[in-house]
Amino acid sequence: MNRRTLLQRACLLSALAVLPLHATLADDAATPSLIPLPAQLSLQRGSFAVDAGTPVVLASHDAATRQTAGYLIDLVARTRGLQLRIAGDDKAAHAIVLLRDPQAPVVQAEGYALDVTAQGIRLTARDDAGLFHGAITLAQLLAPDAKQGTVDVPTLSIRDWPRFAWRGLMLDSGRHFQSVAEVEKLIDQMAQLKLDVLHWHLTDDQGWRIEIKRYPELTRIGAWRTPPDAGKDGEPQRYGGFYTQDQIRAVVAYAAARHVTIVPEIDMPGHAQAAVASYPKIGVTGQRPQVSVDWGVNPWLYNVDDDTFTFIDNVLDEVMALFPSQYIHVGGDEAIKNQWKSSPAVQAKMRQLGITDEDALQGWFIGRIGQYLEKHHRKLIGWDEILEGDNVPTDAAVMSWRGIDGAIKASLLGHDVVMSPSPDLYFDHVQGDLPDEYAGRLGVESLKDVYAFQAVPDVLGPAQAKHVLGVQANVWTEHLPTMELVEHTTFPRLDALAEVAWSPVATNDWHRFLERLPAELGRQREQHVAVADSAFAVDIATDRNVALATGKATVTLSDQAGFGAIHYTLDSSEPTPASPLYRTPFNVTLPAIVRASSFATDGSALAMARTRTLDRAALLSLSGTELANCAGSDFRLRLQPTPDATSTQPVYAVNIFDNCQMFPATLMDGVTAIHVDAVRLVRNYALAGDAKLVVERPHDTLFGELVVHADSCDGAVLARMPLPDPAHGPSKFKLDAKLAAPSGVHSLCMAYATPVNGPLYGVGHVSLETGTP
């Protein structure tokens, strides 16, 4: 049977996985919902029933096998409500058997063999990691749907191993701090996706999160910051926290039990403000800054004298004692060299070393750290800026974040690389663009974008491609103060990346991934993971101007992924699979309320219902997140009301370079007034050389105005709305003005004319009013 015929038959059977080249498929089989997809899968007729009486037999009597069995039992209890038990008799029949076997049929590291017959289930592997990964696959087979209790597992044979050795996720605990329990919950979900590296970002300008006993000021001072507007509008008086060494040992052990390696990051020579705030002598100026409250690129660097390197070496000693990982991440990114350029001592050091520029000095700095790690039998890994200079150890690895160019350069130089480019795998970018999406950076990096990520660039030949260790997503937390926000931005995109990292590239199939995904989402929600539904949220669209002119609307329903059945209602009731099925655009007469949701083939909801009211007032009203940037800059953030807000809504779309948004082209006939729900936001952004890009508009009143222009930002002024005193007024306020709008279809430029050294402002909601002025 050739592959095309095989896949055709799989489609006819509503297969939920792409079958690899050598798979076989029985005529009445149903492919299980496995993520990531195994390298080889063969299905036969029949099944094996697993219930609470099915014994789990340990054919290997070592501690690692028992630990894996315990994890399997716990996971199945969480996702299926099925209470399995380890059998005392290793000869028990009709059992689940786990075996570490040096002769297991899969020879690849971390690989496993899983066989299900009518008589039982047998899982074998040559190493502990392989046995654990096989147990994860088995747990998915035992929780194929939302039901609880007994499950029929299809008879099958799986031979599986990973595509890449580095299958990673970076968690930024420097900007916002997560509890030990929250970090462990994330590790647990990583393990269930067969990811094996947690890159833990522990130090930055905004916080030092790891206890270093030799330098207690790092956590007494460096772990805490005083937020802007501290104590106002729910902002804490002090923000921060750190992990004790005992807590870190516990997290490392927790991860190791799930075959996840934690790679710590201690950032240098830049992103050092929290460290310098703790010990000014390790900085360049000798001055003590505050722990930063500003996101972005701050100027504080480590010094390059011997005492500073003694400090760094001592810190690394304690870090290496806590983390047994082969690699230690030293950052190396975004080191603005102004302080080095202005320091006579640093310039003298450069002359002594024969170094002619500051980029080369950074290379020398990183090279020295690499040599120290090498003496301790560790390897250096850093962001792609570490290649600036000629002193990087030959065995150092490079994490390519500024696109893929760093990976290409590094592999050509013989360095191993981890693909982690921005924006492709930067999970602080939002997953969708509907008005109710959570905080984060725009533009959108969708579930489909992540699944389509090409881990090995085409330009790399076979020799260079061997240097690609794997892939990693990064969760930067400037705008993600809570774990709910972290989980929302991570899942289900991490499911997509897990398949890129583990499964053979030939099995990549977007539509069949989507068919397998609902079961995985169900397993995650059963474990209380705050999974985003952005990919499946229904967009309820209509032509606003036609509706305003005619009193009738043609409604189009769609979702980002193009997957699932969309059902809708027009009576305000909750959509169900029994509600009308959307097939083509439909017409409604105003006023109307449209509610819609998408559903999987089993009838489970893929997304919560979205609602749109269609009447004249609603068509003349938009949330601020629906307004586009004004022309000239595409930078855009979705911000929470305060830097450390724990809410998920509201969020405000803001361009920190040009505080201006466009109300889209609208039929303005009869419009006489404008009402804006406005918000004052903290301008806490360190922009370094980009500060010159900030647009400042002249203002006529003391605190500035919101100015409304017709059609473009240099169009006729239609309204000016003075802003309240930021020192004494509330952070949320209303602005109202008469609007002498021209008739016909026009856009509105809504520009905040304010001092650039003052706060930012956002639009929560804007509405136009018709009637007598």
Side-chain angles (χ1 to χ4, degrees):
M1 182 184 299
N2 63 33
R3 188 181 183 212
R4 176 174 295 178
T5 302
L6 183 64
L7 291 178
Q8 288 172 340
R9 292 178 67 182
C11 291
L12 290 172
L13 291 164
S14 300
L16 298 179
V18 178
L19 298 177
L21 186 61
H22 301 296
T24 58
L25 179 65
D27 290 338
D28 59 353
T31 306
S33 304
L34 301 174
I35 292 179
L37 191 67
Q40 295 179 1
L41 169 63
S42 175
L43 290 166
Q44 296 88 36
R45 292 187 180 89
S47 63
F48 174 72
V50 175
D51 58 25
T54 304
V56 177
V57 172
L58 308 185
S60 303
H61 299 288
D62 56 283
T65 301
R66 179 169 290 275
Q67 188 175 61
T68 291
Y71 185 81
L72 171 65
I73 290 169
D74 173 69
L75 182 55
V76 172
R78 283 187 276 156
T79 57
R80 188 70 180 186
L82 186 58
Q83 304 295 328
L84 302 176
R85 298 286 186 271
I86 295 177
D89 179 9
D90 61 9
K91 304 296 185 183
H94 301 286
I96 298 170
V97 178
L98 277 59
L99 173 64
R100 268 283 312 276
D101 183 0
Q103 302 303 316
V106 177
V107 301
Q108 292 88 344
E110 301 187 75
Y112 64 92
L114 178 62
D115 295 287
V116 180
T117 69
Q119 288 72 46
I121 299 174
R122 186 173 183 84
L123 171 62
T124 62
R126 297 192 176 197
D127 57 37
D128 294 334
L131 197 70
F132 183 85
H133 297 322
I136 294 298
T137 298
L138 178 54
Q140 292 182 349
L141 292 171
L142 294 174
D145 50 42
K147 298 176 182 179
Q148 296 284 286
T150 301
V151 56
D152 290 328
V153 182
T155 54
L156 52 74
S157 177
I158 289 175
R159 302 293 181 263
D160 196 17
W161 58 89
R163 179 187 178 194
F164 292 114
W166 190 297
R167 308 179 299 280
L169 178 69
M170 189 282 297
L171 175 64
D172 172 20
S173 296
R175 275 56 176 266
H176 279 106
F177 181 72
Q178 304 86 29
S179 71
V180 167
E182 289 169 337
V183 175
E184 290 181 344
K185 181 182 178 185
L186 183 62
I187 291 169
D188 194 36
Q189 292 305 311
M190 290 176 61
Q192 292 176 43
L193 292 170
K194 302 184 176 74
L195 299 173
D196 66 344
V197 178
L198 174 66
H199 169 184
W200 202 1
H201 187 80
L202 290 167
T203 73
D204 216 300
D205 298 309
Q206 298 81 14
W208 184 284
R209 304 294 178 216
I210 175 173
E211 179 188 24
I212 302 296
K213 293 186 179 296
R214 188 160 183 165
Y215 300 109
E217 299 294 272
L218 288 171
T219 46
R220 192 184 72 84
I221 294 175
W224 307 94
R225 62 178 183 257
T226 301
D229 289 344
K232 298 180 181 178
D233 300 312
E235 188 71 7
Q237 292 285 355
R238 188 172 79 145
Y239 182 89
F242 64 94
Y243 306 101
T244 68
Q245 293 199 358
D246 284 344
Q247 287 175 322
I248 288 175
R249 289 188 188 95
V251 173
V252 169
Y254 185 93
R258 289 153 180 78
H259 296 275
V260 174
T261 298
I262 299 182
V263 173
E265 179 179 353
I266 309 297
D267 221 331
M268 58 186 83
H271 289 289
Q273 188 165 336
V276 177
S278 305
Y279 292 95
K281 289 184 178 179
I282 65 173
V284 179
T285 68
Q287 299 174 343
R288 185 192 297 273
Q290 298 296 311
V291 176
S292 180
V293 298
D294 294 333
W295 315 134
V297 182
N298 289 271
W300 295 87
L301 302 177
Y302 282 103
N303 206 341
V304 293
D305 59 21
D306 290 343
D307 288 345
T308 298
F309 281 105
T310 298
F311 168 88
I312 293 172
D313 292 347
N314 290 336
V315 168
L316 290 174
D317 286 345
E318 294 194 35
V319 170
M320 288 186 286
L322 293 169
F323 296 94
S325 56
Q326 180 185 31
Y327 287 101
I328 303 294
H329 205 297
V330 300
D333 63 312
E334 297 179 327
I336 303 302
K337 309 301 193 304
N338 293 346
Q339 289 187 349
W340 281 357
K341 291 177 180 179
S342 301
S343 167
V346 171
Q347 294 300 309
K349 183 72 170 184
M350 289 171 60
R351 290 191 294 271
Q352 175 190 338
L353 295 170
I355 292 175
T356 58
D357 64 64
E358 287 74 23
D359 287 342
L361 180 63
Q362 174 166 325
W364 171 83
F365 184 108
I366 295 296
R368 178 163 175 169
I369 300 302
Q371 292 168 9
Y372 189 79
L373 293 174
E374 191 173 22
K375 288 178 183 177
H376 291 78
H377 309 291
R378 304 296 184 94
K379 292 182 179 181
L380 180 147
I381 187 169
W383 304 107
D384 52 52
E385 287 98 325
I386 69 171
L387 295 174
E388 296 171 356
D390 301 322
N391 295 285
V392 179
T394 56
D395 64 350
V398 174
M399 196 163 278
S400 184
W401 76 275
R402 296 178 297 180
I404 64 173
D405 291 346
I408 294 169
K409 178 180 178 181
S411 60
L412 291 172
L413 292 172
H415 292 285
D416 288 340
V417 298
V418 176
M419 300 297 298
S420 189
S422 170
D424 311 63
L425 299 183
Y426 267 47
F427 282 5
D428 55 325
H429 280 254
V430 296
Q431 302 198 54
D433 58 2
L434 292 186
D436 61 358
E437 184 60 67
Y438 290 6
R441 184 189 295 268
L442 289 156
V444 172
E445 293 300 320
S446 70
L447 179 67
K448 185 176 183 179
D449 293 332
V450 175
Y451 192 77
F453 178 69
Q454 186 174 350
V456 180
D458 286 335
V459 297
L460 297 183
Q464 288 75 39
K466 290 180 180 178
H467 285 293
V468 178
L469 296 177
V471 296
Q472 176 178 293
N474 296 327
V475 182
W476 299 105
T477 62
E478 287 97 329
H479 311 298
L480 307 173
T482 69
M483 201 63 190
E484 180 181 1
L485 292 168
V486 169
E487 290 177 355
H488 176 93
T489 203
T490 300
F491 299 97
R493 289 187 293 192
L494 196 62
D495 300 84
L497 186 67
E499 189 139 307
V500 172
W502 180 278
S503 304
V505 67
T507 66
N508 182 286
D509 188 299
W510 166 241
H511 295 289
R512 290 192 175 84
F513 169 77
L514 290 175
E515 289 171 343
R516 288 179 281 117
L517 184 59
E520 178 62 22
L521 298 182
R523 291 186 284 261
Q524 290 167 346
R525 288 173 177 138
E526 193 71 22
Q527 298 173 78
H528 309 291
V529 178
V531 180
D533 66 358
S534 310
F536 310 107
V538 178
D539 182 18
I540 305 170
T542 193
D543 187 314
R544 296 166 53 250
N545 292 321
V546 170
L548 285 167
T550 66
K552 298 180 184 296
T554 299
V555 178
T556 301
L557 306 180
S558 63
D559 64 43
Q560 184 194 82
F563 176 78
I566 297 177
H567 293 267
Y568 67 93
T569 64
L570 300 176
D571 60 0
S572 299
S573 63
E574 185 77 10
T576 71
S579 303
L581 173 66
Y582 176 77
R583 298 184 186 275
T584 59
F586 56 89
N587 298 319
V588 296
T589 300
L590 275 54
I593 297 176
V594 182
R595 301 195 74 192
S597 188
S598 58
F599 296 86
T601 54
D602 65 356
S604 62
L606 292 169
M608 69 176 186
R610 264 56 174 191
T611 303
R612 183 168 183 182
T613 298
L614 296 173
D615 58 26
R616 186 167 183 80
L619 291 168
L620 288 172
S621 301
L622 292 173
S623 69
T625 56
E626 295 177 279
L627 307 181
N629 277 11
C630 296
S633 172
D634 61 0
F635 186 88
R636 191 169 169 89
L637 298 171
R638 294 174 70 100
L639 300 178
Q640 292 180 284
T642 64
D644 306 306
T646 58
S647 57
T648 61
Q649 295 292 337
V651 296
Y652 303 93
V654 174
N655 179 351
I656 62 175
F657 293 100
D658 188 0
N659 204 182
C660 175
Q661 291 179 281
M662 294 296 297
F663 193 93
T666 299
L667 182 63
M668 294 286 177
D669 293 1
V671 170
T672 59
I674 184 170
H675 307 284
V676 178
D677 293 331
V679 63
R680 185 180 67 250
L681 302 167
V682 174
R683 192 188 294 269
N684 62 322
Y685 301 93
L687 300 178
D690 289 336
K692 62 181 180 292
L693 302 177
V694 177
V695 175
E696 183 170 15
R697 292 181 170 81
H699 49 94
D700 296 336
T701 57
L702 183 59
F703 308 117
E705 313 88 44
L706 176 59
V707 183
V708 182
H709 298 263
D711 297 316
S712 67
C713 295
D714 56 2
V717 174
L718 302 180
R720 288 183 180 272
M721 293 173 273
L723 301 176
D725 181 354
H728 301 100
S731 61
K732 296 180 182 179
F733 50 92
K734 294 183 180 296
L735 299 173
D736 302 283
K738 293 181 179 180
L739 193 70
S743 60
V745 176
H746 296 275
S747 303
L748 299 177
C749 166
M750 303 175 60
Y752 280 107
T754 60
V756 296
N757 59 354
L760 281 168
Y761 290 90
V763 173
H765 194 268
V766 57
S767 58
L768 305 180
E769 180 182 301
T770 59
T772 303

